[in-house]
Structure formats: structure tokens, C-alpha cells
Amino acid sequence: MPALEELEEAYNKAKRDASFQKELRQLQSTYIGRPTPLYFAKRLTEKLGGAKIYLKREDLAHTGAHKINNALGQALLAVRMGKRRLIAETGAGQHGVATATGAALVGLACDIYMGTVDMQRQALNVFRMKLLGATVKEVDIGSRTLKDAINESLRDWTTNVRTTHYVLGTAFGPHPFPMLVRDFQSIIGKEAAAQIRKAEGRLPDYLIACVGGGSNAIGLFNEFLDTDIRMIGVEAGGKGIESGEHAARFADGSIGILQGCKTYLLQDNDGNVLDTHSVSAGLDYASVGPEHSHLKVSGRVEYTFATDDEALAAFETLSRAEGIIPALESAHALAEVIKRAPVLPRDSIIIVNLSGRGDKDVQQVAKIKGINLCA
Amino acid sequence: MQKTRISVVFEALQARNSKAFIPYIMAGDPEAGTTLKQVSLLERCGADIIELGVPFSDPLADGPTIQKAAGRALKSGTTLRKVLSMVRDLRLQTDIPLVLMTYYNPVFKYGEEAFVHDSIQAGVDGIIVPDLPPEEAGELIKLSRQGSGGRRLDTIFLIAPTSTPVRIKKIAAASSGFVYYVSITGITGAALEVDEEFKRHLALVKQATDKPVAVGFGIASPDQARIVAQMADGVIVGSALVKVFNETPEKAENFIRGLKEATSK
């Protein structure tokens, strides 16, 4: 608790501090490469034959995903707080890579917790983190995925709180993390609003993003919450809701309390957290950021899901139609675009958050397709 | 309203200038029958209060030993409901104070009101919910103090080495029965170093409250128990005991007796 209060205080100070904001803006532009483009996906639009589809290209941010927006912000904050070490959890490895990058940039030690199941399916990112000077710590307990990596990170933070800052990677956990992560990610929506006004002279009709913990989605949505733009969050439907092997918290979960927040959770009748499944490590998580639960209950955002198969099909569709290989996480959002765009009028506009690039997933997709890359 | 068994025990110990030995075991590790036998043994070896862990899928405050114990207990189907049923069975054989240590989500799912009612009816004396800070525990504290059938439930909160004096007072005020001082910044089963800083902070806690203060997390040997007992009102031993019960159960009795002797002298 004192650590959370310390963090909130430091963050509130930084928010008002012109020199912090200036440093952040400068690195966003010269290091991350912001603003990321808003790209009109002409061939995908023609192929689907309905709404105009724009991709917010977070895959072009340094390290290949939106995760760097938050990791860099928190790394700068940690330096201000006098911390000597960063830790983070990672599922798909993108947040681990982003945090290792942030740590290298500001010169802090870095340990990344990652479930052994995820280490196998995201071997490339494990090696990237090591190249960046971080230590990757195996989490070989529980479901051995993102949830358990968060548990281990929280345990580490409790133990080393005096010297260590925990760079939580998504808009989740105890306050002030959901707020902090949302704020650092909200640049996505701010840029998108300005870019679409310039391109189309108006705001879009739909925003679509995938939702694991929910940081890329809240980053896109936050700017538009006061408008009447329809927003859709896409969870991991895994092998289908009936199969029980999925991570669709809104479709099949109920309110619970985990890892410091009250939110939708996949749990059994006794309050134990259920195992989840998704082809995408970044969405393979039993819980969801509390603000998304609020937006679900208030009805402001609509939540749906895409199955593994739908996401894999979308992964290939975008690769061929646009020459852009999306992350499997982002492919879930694209799967919803593929379902929805054809039935919308041609003058309507969708912005989909292309939260990450798919290089990290290439090996796994090959494996699923039965292709041996080393042969 | 009756005094809780916990308060009765601490008063009796204080009267003879002795300290409480409080062992922790994981309920249902690896199955319910084992728990009943372990409680008997603990009582026979002089335990003053017993903490029963309720297994949870995501035990954030626990180190590997208790995480694994929770895994074994969950595997054999142990749930909060079943732990309450174990307590009912235990009450046929013993009057020793029993404290449940459970994470909050199982309680939330059970329903706070039903949980407090059923716990009291089963014969539970106190609860520790490590992931529930006092700020969020208003309703649970109220229900526990109101009690049921003339009996109430003690609510025991955790003070950390990083807790400020203001916060120590707040946590102590929310606690009844005793206050749980977490001896290390970290998780259960990590190594405790009884150094000057530990002593200084524990003294601060003792000063801030007249409620009994029991110390836990990281106490693994009679030597450590002896030093802690010189300053605290109770000594809690969890991971080390869970480990002995799991790996070398034949050594459990000697280990427990050693801890009891170190604590009470």
C-alpha cells in the first residue's frame, strides 16, 4: 500500500511537471517514432466491400507494439522515484521487450517474469529481452502463463519494493496502475482523432481493438468515450465458449477480485481462477482491466470475441491483402473487422488498432500449420 | 457476546508471562483426513492457536512452499466450503482456537455475510485475509463484530515492515484477537533475518497497540522462534512446517515440539 501511494504521488507530480512531459514527448517522437501512422487499408476495404478500414499502426512503434508507450513512461517515472531496478510480467513477450528496452534506455537493471508455456511459444521475444540486457525469470507454477507471471511480479515487488518499480504492462491491478497505463496509452486515440480528421474531415463510426488486459483498447477508446462513436472490444474466444477453453471474460465470466482489482474474471463457483486458452499469449488471461468492466456494465463499449481459427484467418488475410503481418492479438480485432465491415455502408469508417506486429508469432503459426521452419 | 477463544488464550498466556505458538497448515494438503490428524498432533505438541490455510489458485502473499501446498489441496477438491466442513469435524475433537487464512476472492464469491455466519457456526474463531487491506474490509469487519448466535469472529490484519506509524495504528484498530506482524518485506517462507531494524520496527508496532502482536513469515527454526518470542506475543510458523509435513512427516513431531519449547520459554 505505501508503494502504491508513493507511485500515485510520483505520477501526479510528473503529470504536472513540464520537464517530465517534455522528456516524454521528445522520446515518444525520436525514440518510439510517434506519431504512428493511421493507414487507410484500401485493398482490405475493397476485399470486404463495406466500411472504410483504417489501421492505427502501433505495430510500427519501436519494439513492434503499443507496449512501449507505457513501458517508457513508467521507466522515466521509476528514475524520478529513485528506483534502481525494473521488473515486469509478460505474456506475449511484447511488454517484456518494451520494459527491457525502457530499462536499457534509462540504465536500470531489469528482470522479466514469464510463464514457461509462454516462453515456449514466444521464444524469439525471450531472446530479444536477453539481448536487451534483461534477465528472463521462468514462472513454472499455476497455469504458467500471464496470470502467474503477474503473481510472481507482485511477489517480487512486495519483497524488493524499496529499490524496485513494477512496470505493470496493462491497465490492470491496484490503483493507480489502471489509470497510469491508460494515460500513457491514450496517446493512441489522441493521434488517431487528429489523423482521421485530417484524412476524412470527421471522426470514425467504429473503433475496434483486442482486449487482453485491455491497454491498447483503452488507449484507443479513451479519447472518444464522450462521443457517440461505437466501440468494440474483442476478447480471445479460444476454441469457442462452449469448449471452456478460451479467455472471454465478458462472455463467460463474473465479477471477482484478483491481483488488486475488482473486475470480470473467469472463475469457478468457489472463487478459484480458471485456466484459460488462446492462440495468442497476450490475450490468454483470466481477468480484464477494471475500466473495461465498467465500460461493459455501463454499455458504453460492446465486447465480443474471436476464436483462434478466426484470428488465424485474419492473420493471413491482412498479410496478403496489405502486406502487413499483424500480431495474433491484433488479429482478433481484425477478425471482428472482417465480420463487421462487409455489412456496413461504404461511407462508414472503422479504425482498428493494429496493436502489434506479427513477427513474434510467425514461428507459432508455422507450427500450427504443421510447417517445419528448420527443415 | 462471548470472548473469542483467541482472546481467552492470549489472556491466559499473558497471565503466566508466556508466548503463543501458532502453527499454520494448509487445509486439505493433500486431503481432509491429513488435516484432522495434523491438528491433533499440533494440539498434542502444545500449539496455542492453529492457522488453517484455505487453498487458492493465486496465492499472492505466499512463497513456493505454500503455493505448492495449495496446489495439492486444490487437486483433492478442497474449497472454502469444504474447509468449513473440516472445521465442523475438528470441533468434535478439539477446542483449540482456529484461524482461517483465506484470500479474498473465495470469500467474495461465497458472500461475506454467509461466510461470517457459516464460519462462526462451524467453529472458526478468526480470519486473516492477506489481500484485503482494512480500507476495503469495512463490511467484513462489521459483520464479524456483529457475529452470530452470541459469538463473533476476530479479524486479523497484517502489518508490514514498510507500514508507517499512522498505518500501523489504523491496521491495529481494525484487528481483533491479535495483530499479525509480517516480519519481512516479501512472501511466506523467505528467509528472516532478525536484525536491529526488525527489532526496532517490531517495537514500534508493540508501542502502537495494546493488542497481542504475533509475528510470522520466514520463521523456520526454534532459534528464530526464541528470539522473536522475546519481543512478540506470538510466533507463527507456516512454510517450514508445511514443508516438514509434506517431505519428512516422521520428523514433524520433534520439529513442532522444538518450536513450542522455543516459543514458550
Side-chain angles (χ1 to χ4, degrees):
Chain A
M1 299 292 288
L4 295 170
E5 284 160 15
E6 181 195 355
L7 177 60
E8 186 175 7
E9 202 178 305
Y11 175 62
N12 285 335
K13 237 190 222 161
K15 231 178 4 187
R16 290 190 303 265
D17 182 341
S19 72
F20 179 86
Q21 293 302 332
K22 189 178 163 204
E23 188 181 12
L24 181 62
R25 267 199 310 273
Q26 193 162 15
L27 287 170
Q28 281 170 341
S29 122
T30 60
Y31 188 72
I32 298 181
R34 303 207 72 90
T36 58
L38 184 73
Y39 166 71
F40 173 52
K42 186 161 169 275
R43 289 196 67 226
L44 183 67
T45 299
E46 280 166 6
K47 185 177 158 71
L48 297 176
K52 294 175 87 168
I53 300 158
Y54 281 85
L55 308 178
K56 180 58 177 161
R57 297 291 307 274
E58 291 300 299
D59 61 318
L60 292 177
H62 179 45
T63 72
H66 72 291
K67 292 292 184 189
I68 189 73
N69 301 329
N70 167 53
L72 179 73
Q74 289 201 44
L76 294 179
L77 202 53
V79 171
R80 298 208 145 209
M81 292 166 73
K83 305 291 180 185
R84 297 195 296 272
R85 171 175 175 258
L86 299 181
I87 56 167
E89 83 293 345
T90 197
Q94 289 302 115
H95 176 57
V97 167
T99 304
T101 301
L105 178 69
V106 299
L108 297 178
C110 183
D111 288 328
I112 304 293
Y113 288 94
M114 190 169 189
T116 47
V117 169
D118 290 339
M119 286 178 77
Q120 278 163 18
R121 56 182 167 178
Q122 300 289 352
L124 186 65
N125 271 342
V126 173
F127 186 61
R128 287 172 78 197
M129 287 182 261
K130 290 179 184 166
L131 281 175
L132 292 160
T135 305
V136 180
K137 298 200 160 191
E138 287 188 12
V139 180
D140 198 28
I141 197 147
S143 62
R144 295 165 176 81
T145 58
L146 182 56
K147 166 177 81 82
D148 309 280
I150 295 179
N151 286 342
E152 276 308 298
S153 302
L154 285 167
R155 287 178 186 123
D156 182 316
W157 197 35
T158 319
T159 308
N160 302 300
V161 61
R162 293 180 178 99
T163 59
T164 298
H165 174 64
Y166 175 23
V167 185
L168 191 60
T170 192
F172 188 74
H175 179 75
F177 279 114
M179 170 183 82
L180 195 99
V181 177
R182 177 199 64 202
D183 290 357
F184 284 132
Q185 293 293 0
S186 61
I187 190 163
I188 302 173
K190 284 193 185 111
E191 286 175 6
Q195 289 165 324
I196 197 73
R197 276 204 177 96
K198 197 168 173 203
E200 294 279 349
R202 68 173 183 96
L203 292 179
D205 303 291
Y206 289 83
L207 299 172
I208 299 180
C210 64
V211 181
S215 70
N216 91 80
I218 204 73
L220 177 64
F221 295 168
N222 191 56
E223 180 71 12
F224 303 95
L225 287 175
D226 294 333
T227 68
D228 56 3
I229 295 169
R230 289 186 63 181
M231 303 180 186
I232 299 148
V234 187
E235 301 185 277
K239 297 178 181 169
I241 303 303
E242 329 67 52
S243 73
E245 293 183 50
H246 59 78
R249 295 69 44 104
F250 290 127
D252 203 26
S254 56
I255 300 282
I257 285 131
L258 182 71
Q259 293 164 337
C261 61
K262 184 175 183 181
T263 185
Y264 272 79
L265 180 64
L266 288 167
Q267 57 183 329
D268 67 17
N269 290 331
D270 299 296
N272 285 300
V273 180
L274 292 170
D275 283 349
T276 52
H277 164 82
S278 170
V279 68
S280 138
L283 305 184
D284 194 354
Y285 181 49
S287 191
V288 60
E291 191 166 357
H292 284 291
S293 288
H294 168 71
L295 295 169
K296 151 89 178 169
V297 171
S298 74
R300 178 64 191 91
V301 176
E302 180 188 336
Y303 293 88
T304 181
F305 59 87
T307 63
D308 286 355
D309 289 346
E310 289 166 338
L312 286 163
F315 178 86
E316 295 197 13
T317 300
L318 191 74
S319 301
R320 289 182 185 210
E322 296 289 349
I324 298 169
I325 302 175
L328 280 174
E329 290 76 19
S330 320
H332 284 72
L334 291 162
E336 180 63 21
V337 171
I338 290 170
K339 284 182 220 171
R340 209 172 276 250
V343 296
L344 292 174
R346 283 167 187 269
D347 60 353
S348 58
I349 301 169
I350 297 176
I351 294 179
V352 56
N353 200 5
L354 196 66
S355 55
R357 66 179 182 220
D359 307 44
K360 68 184 174 59
D361 297 310
V362 167
Q363 228 171 354
Q364 200 207 349
V365 171
K367 199 172 149 201
I368 291 168
K369 292 170 72 94
I371 298 162
N372 185 353
L373 294 177
C374 302
Chain B
M1 191 78 62
Q2 288 177 17
K3 267 186 199 160
T4 64
R5 291 187 186 94
I6 296 169
S7 298
V8 172
V9 160
F10 273 110
E11 280 170 22
L13 285 166
Q14 270 156 7
R16 53 177 202 271
N17 203 18
S18 186
K19 306 299 173 72
F21 167 48
I22 309 174
Y24 166 105
I25 54 172
M26 176 61 71
D29 171 21
E31 41 90 33
T34 319
T35 305
L36 302 191
K37 281 181 211 147
Q38 287 175 350
V39 168
S40 290
L41 177 66
L42 289 167
E43 190 177 15
R44 190 147 43 80
C45 298
D48 298 294
I49 295 169
I50 294 174
E51 253 186 61
L52 280 181
V54 177
F56 179 53
S57 55
D58 294 83
L60 265 181
D62 287 304
T65 302
I66 292 178
Q67 289 174 41
K68 282 179 200 150
R72 292 189 293 268
L74 287 172
K75 211 169 166 191
S76 67
T78 311
T79 59
L80 177 54
R81 212 166 282 281
K82 287 195 178 152
V83 175
L84 291 177
S85 142
M86 279 179 220
V87 172
R88 274 193 291 277
D89 291 343
L90 281 167
R91 282 290 170 237
L92 301 173
Q93 69 179 48
T94 177
D95 260 331
I96 195 163
L98 294 171
V99 174
L100 290 195
M101 180 147 172
T102 176
Y103 286 86
Y104 185 63
N105 200 49
V107 174
F108 176 75
K109 194 78 181 165
Y110 199 104
E112 288 189 343
E113 197 169 348
F115 167 71
V116 169
H117 175 269
D118 292 0
S119 294
I120 292 173
Q121 292 310 311
V124 174
D125 300 290
I127 51 171
I128 302 170
V129 188
D131 58 345
L132 186 69
E135 290 87 343
E136 306 288 338
E139 187 64 17
L140 192 61
I141 294 171
K142 197 180 99 194
L143 290 164
S144 300
R145 303 235 157 125
Q146 274 169 4
S148 157
R151 291 184 47 224
R152 46 171 290 177
L153 212 51
D154 279 325
T155 52
I156 297 140
F157 289 94
L158 275 60
I159 293 175
T162 48
S163 301
T164 57
V166 174
R167 195 160 167 78
I168 290 172
K169 285 214 165 65
K170 194 177 193 174
I171 298 171
S175 299
S176 61
F178 65 94
V179 179
Y180 194 133
Y181 181 63
V182 176
S183 52
I184 47 172
T185 54
I187 50 177
T188 57
L192 164 67
E193 207 182 315
V194 187
D195 54 13
E196 287 311 309
E197 200 190 329
F198 167 78
K199 289 181 183 168
R200 194 180 53 76
H201 201 257
L202 178 56
L204 213 67
V205 175
K206 286 287 295 170
Q207 252 170 36
T209 178
D210 49 11
K211 289 169 187 168
V213 176
V215 176
F217 281 42
I219 301 169
S221 71
D223 283 344
Q224 287 175 319
R226 188 171 295 115
I227 302 170
V228 172
Q230 284 166 8
M231 301 182 62
D233 304 295
V235 175
I236 303 163
V237 180
S239 298
L241 180 61
V242 167
K243 197 167 180 176
V244 169
F245 268 134
N246 181 51
E247 289 172 9
T248 49
E250 70 285 355
K251 292 185 182 159
E253 180 159 352
N254 271 340
F255 183 63
I256 299 161
R257 286 192 191 281
L259 288 168
K260 167 67 183 178
E261 201 187 294
T263 307
S264 53
K265 273 182 186 164

